[in-house]
Amino acid sequence: MNADVIGDEDGFYSRAEKYWKNIPPTVDGMLGGYGHISNIDINSSKRFLQRFIGEGSGKAGASCALDCGAGIGRITKRLLLPLFKVVDMVDVTEDFLAKAKTHLGEEGKRVGNYFCCGLQDFIPQPQRYDVIWIQWVIGHLTDDHLAQFLKRCQKGLRPNGIICVKDNVSQEGVIEDEVDSSVCRELSTLHTIVQLAGLNVLAEEKQEDFPDEIYQVYSLALR
């Protein structure tokens, strides 16, 4: 990628912000009309994540997690708050974070921070997080900005902490989505960006049981 596909970088980001401002703050809105896959997604993510947290040598703690591209808190509510004492949320759309405060209900009291910021500009607090969860949002970053963001995330990890990336993966090449101003990368490109960020892939898993018509989805645990 990137200049050839994206063209005007500022426009790439501003078009995405405009798109999400017009999306309803619902689970179905967060998932592009595929709200019915949320349970399958969350259950798979929980199995994947639980391999890396808890008691034992090399395992991440359960004190604090960061939900990147958090939207209204679908993942914070169903995946992260049940596993961590405190969860921070970051999203570029202010209305989504406002909605999260009601969507999360009583458990929302354990959200430490609501950060309204694009990930290209977001700097995680150093050594705060056991897990940084980044799902269905890396397509909104250029290659350079994604590598830089992952580097900043690494600095945000506590001892034995991990970064989890879960996202669409193309069969070949980079595919641009002009509707929401994003890109979908092939797995080898994502591996290259991870290497550029100085991270290693601890585990990689293809999501099962999603509808055939959507992109394949992979989860990567990084450290």
Side-chain angles (χ1 to χ4, degrees):
M1 221 208 339
N2 233 32
D4 292 344
V5 176
I6 287 175
D8 168 33
E9 190 177 281
D10 290 341
F12 175 69
Y13 288 118
S14 63
R15 286 191 299 273
E17 283 193 44
K18 185 177 179 182
Y19 169 83
W20 285 108
K21 279 180 180 173
N22 290 305
I23 295 299
T26 63
V27 169
D28 210 43
M30 299 302 96
L31 294 177
Y34 281 88
H36 60 282
I37 69 171
S38 188
N39 284 346
I40 298 169
D41 169 59
I42 293 291
N43 291 336
S44 297
S45 295
K46 191 169 289 187
R47 286 192 298 271
F48 184 76
L49 182 54
Q50 284 180 320
R51 292 157 58 182
F52 305 101
I53 61 174
E55 302 296 323
S57 176
K59 294 287 186 86
S63 294
C64 189
L66 174 65
D67 184 358
C68 298
I72 64 168
R74 180 186 72 91
I75 292 166
T76 291
K77 181 175 184 174
R78 299 281 310 282
L79 176 67
L80 300 177
L81 280 173
L83 295 175
F84 297 90
K85 291 175 185 172
V86 176
V87 178
D88 288 349
M89 298 170 61
V90 55
D91 197 275
V92 75
T93 307
E94 198 169 343
D95 286 351
F96 292 168
L97 293 175
K99 176 67 175 180
K101 291 169 184 176
T102 53
H103 178 71
L104 296 172
E106 190 68 18
E107 290 297 290
K109 290 180 179 177
R110 293 192 290 113
V111 172
N113 295 284
Y114 296 89
F115 298 111
C116 188
C117 184
L119 298 185
Q120 70 274 18
D121 299 316
F122 184 68
I123 303 172
Q125 181 181 323
Q127 298 184 345
R128 175 169 170 81
Y129 301 107
D130 295 297
V131 168
I132 296 179
W133 191 270
I134 309 167
Q135 182 166 348
W136 279 324
V137 69
I138 64 170
H140 286 301
L141 296 177
T142 67
D143 287 357
D144 286 346
H145 284 165
L146 177 54
Q148 291 164 21
F149 177 61
L150 290 173
K151 284 180 183 178
R152 297 196 298 273
C153 285
Q154 187 179 33
K155 291 177 182 175
L157 293 177
R158 292 160 59 91
N160 297 322
I162 61 164
I163 299 163
C164 288
V165 174
K166 186 171 185 179
D167 220 301
N168 299 339
V169 171
S170 70
Q171 294 284 1
E172 185 178 1
V174 178
I175 300 170
E176 184 181 13
D177 185 334
E178 293 184 355
V179 176
D180 70 356
S181 191
S182 69
V183 294
C184 180
R185 301 171 174 93
E186 61 187 344
L187 199 55
S188 62
T189 301
L190 188 51
H191 285 160
T192 300
I193 294 169
V194 167
Q195 284 182 321
L196 284 171
L199 293 163
N200 296 309
V201 179
L202 302 180
E204 184 175 288
E205 183 176 283
K206 185 179 179 182
Q207 173 71 48
E208 302 293 338
D209 302 321
F210 271 6
D212 292 337
E213 71 269 18
I214 67 173
Y215 286 115
Q216 56 187 351
V217 172
Y218 276 82
S219 299
L220 284 73
L222 313 173
R223 181 179 284 158

